[in-house]
Amino acid sequence: MIIYGNSEPRRLVSEMIKKKREPHSIMIHGEKGLGKKTLARWIAAALLCERQTGEPCGICRTCRMIADGAHPDVMVAKANSNGNYIVDDSIRPIVAEAPVAPNEARMKVYIIPDLDLSVNTVIQVQNILLKVIEEPPEHTAIILTARSKEIFLPTIISRVLSLGMTSVTEAESMACLQEKYPAVAPALISEAVSAGRGNIGRCVEYLEHSQFFDSVKLARGLCDAMCGGNEYDVLKTLFAADGKKTLLREGLSLFQEILRDSAAFRLGGESEKSVSCAKEGAKTLSRSLSSDQAVRLYDIVSDYIGRIDANCNISLTINSLAGQIYSVTGK
Ligand SMILES: [Zn+2]
């Protein structure tokens, strides 16, 4: 199994396995696209690998089966199409089966991904799992993943090994994409990396023209419109996302990253620390936007993301946001 970056959480887990103090309850948190599920599978392979060196050997039958998603002792819980876990279908069975011995490996691993997307049952799921997490059977491990650590109950947080994901370097993103897409032209790979930076999941989405591709277009479009100082262009760019709630939301949060970069450039920050999908755009924007204005815009956009989450009418939200942006930048 090839894995890029995040060497610190992997080192931690490896050390624990080597010392025969393997973790049984693990929580992996970090933003979308950073590889939480990949790390969960890596940990499962490290726990079950026949060679028991602390990390997956990648060669033994167990490692190969896990990499193919075909090992009977590594189970990934499934949520419904809205992201919610139906507890009677997918969570209570885990608690019931946890004490049962593994099929063939030395341990069995349950992976419960994207718990934060299970908006309706996020608390219930944790309460049901608490018993297994408090006293995990010797041969059972549970790995939870979520974008934010904040959704976890304190009783869960205090009992799990908590692993935070970080971005990889752009060179690692590049290497990963080249490996995954050997037939894609290097120029396209570079373009995807300039959009997704150290978030491999985002780079992949960009390359495959998924929603992230359009979100980047929206965020860069907003940045360009603001550099041009034309209120109508801001409105027109935003209206490309009319009726598309998740696109507008993601585009706006990417635009916030551009604003953050812009403020940092204005204050003479290091360009290496920029995080946004439009490094050059942020630099241009910083020439016409004071850091104070950038911060005010950032807060306004946060407020409007909250309105989108609260299901406010998208067209009205767009109109109102464009007006607010103009009130900060208009001369
Ligand atoms: Zn192995």
Side-chain angles (χ1 to χ4, degrees):
M1 186 183 303
I2 300 165
I3 186 164
Y4 290 87
N6 286 288
S7 54
E8 190 48 34
R10 285 188 282 139
R11 192 193 58 78
L12 194 62
V13 171
S14 286
E15 285 301 311
M16 292 174 80
I17 295 174
K18 279 189 219 157
K19 289 177 184 155
K20 310 272 179 229
R21 287 177 40 240
E22 65 235 351
H24 289 267
S25 306
I26 300 162
M27 172 240 285
I28 303 171
H29 59 94
E31 71 180 43
K32 182 186 170 202
L34 290 183
K36 298 184 290 296
K37 274 169 267 187
T38 305
L39 179 64
R41 279 202 309 280
W42 185 93
I43 294 173
L47 289 169
L48 270 53
C49 174
E50 292 159 32
R51 299 191 182 178
Q52 282 299 293
T53 58
E55 46 190 272
C57 71
I59 298 163
C60 75
R61 185 171 166 273
T62 302
C63 281
R64 281 183 287 125
M65 283 174 83
I66 295 173
D68 292 341
H71 198 287
D73 289 315
V74 178
M75 278 97 18
V76 182
K78 279 206 166 51
N80 71 11
S81 58
N82 295 324
N84 284 300
Y85 283 105
I86 310 296
V87 293
D88 285 344
D89 292 349
S90 51
I91 305 298
R92 288 194 207 278
I94 294 177
V95 179
E97 290 162 17
V100 180
N103 288 295
E104 54 179 77
R106 58 182 285 275
M107 284 178 79
K108 54 182 183 176
V109 180
Y110 293 97
I111 299 173
I112 304 171
D114 299 322
L115 195 52
D116 54 313
L117 299 184
S118 185
V119 181
N120 297 343
T121 53
V122 64
I123 302 294
Q124 203 187 356
V125 167
Q126 294 180 67
N127 279 323
I128 293 169
L129 289 175
L130 189 58
K131 189 169 160 262
V132 187
I133 287 176
E134 270 178 330
E135 289 172 48
E138 200 52 36
H139 55 252
T140 299
I142 290 192
I143 306 176
L144 306 164
T145 83
R147 293 182 196 185
S148 162
K149 201 176 172 176
E150 284 163 22
I151 61 121
F152 290 99
L153 298 170
T155 47
I156 297 281
I157 291 183
S158 63
R159 287 174 175 85
V160 295
L161 171 69
S162 168
L163 303 172
M165 303 292 287
T166 50
S167 305
V168 301
T169 64
E170 288 182 36
E172 284 169 332
S173 282
M174 195 79 90
C176 177
L177 294 186
Q178 278 162 349
E179 165 96 36
K180 241 174 133 82
Y181 299 94
V184 172
L188 284 178
I189 300 264
S190 296
E191 195 187 313
V193 172
S194 81
R197 313 293 296 267
N199 182 317
I200 294 172
R202 281 179 169 185
C203 295
V204 166
E205 276 202 36
Y206 187 90
L207 214 48
E208 294 188 348
H209 282 216
S210 306
Q211 180 187 281
F212 181 71
F213 183 85
D214 294 324
S215 303
V216 167
K217 211 168 126 190
L218 178 67
R220 287 178 177 168
L222 275 177
C223 176
D224 292 344
M226 289 190 54
C227 290
N230 187 329
E231 189 192 5
Y232 175 69
D233 284 344
V234 171
L235 191 63
K236 201 171 72 177
T237 308
L238 284 170
F239 261 106
D242 193 17
K244 296 169 190 159
K245 181 179 160 177
T246 56
L247 170 64
L248 182 62
R249 197 191 185 288
E250 187 173 51
L252 287 179
S253 58
L254 292 175
F255 179 59
Q256 283 187 305
E257 293 177 358
I258 298 176
L259 290 170
R260 198 163 62 194
D261 275 359
S262 170
F265 281 126
R266 183 79 176 208
L267 295 167
E270 290 292 310
S271 60
E272 289 76 33
K273 286 189 182 154
S274 77
V275 292
S276 74
C277 62
K279 190 168 162 182
E280 289 311 311
K283 211 176 274 180
T284 310
L285 189 61
S286 72
R287 293 187 199 116
S288 58
L289 203 66
S290 72
S291 54
D292 176 54
Q293 282 175 315
V295 170
R296 272 163 61 206
L297 283 171
Y298 187 98
D299 290 343
I300 288 170
V301 174
S302 291
D303 176 37
Y304 278 82
I305 288 175
R307 294 186 195 198
I308 295 166
D309 287 342
N311 283 323
C312 290
N313 177 289
I314 297 290
S315 310
L316 295 179
T317 304
I318 287 174
N319 266 312
S320 166
L321 172 59
Q324 288 286 321
I325 290 176
Y326 187 69
S327 75
V328 174
T329 58
K331 313 220 161 51

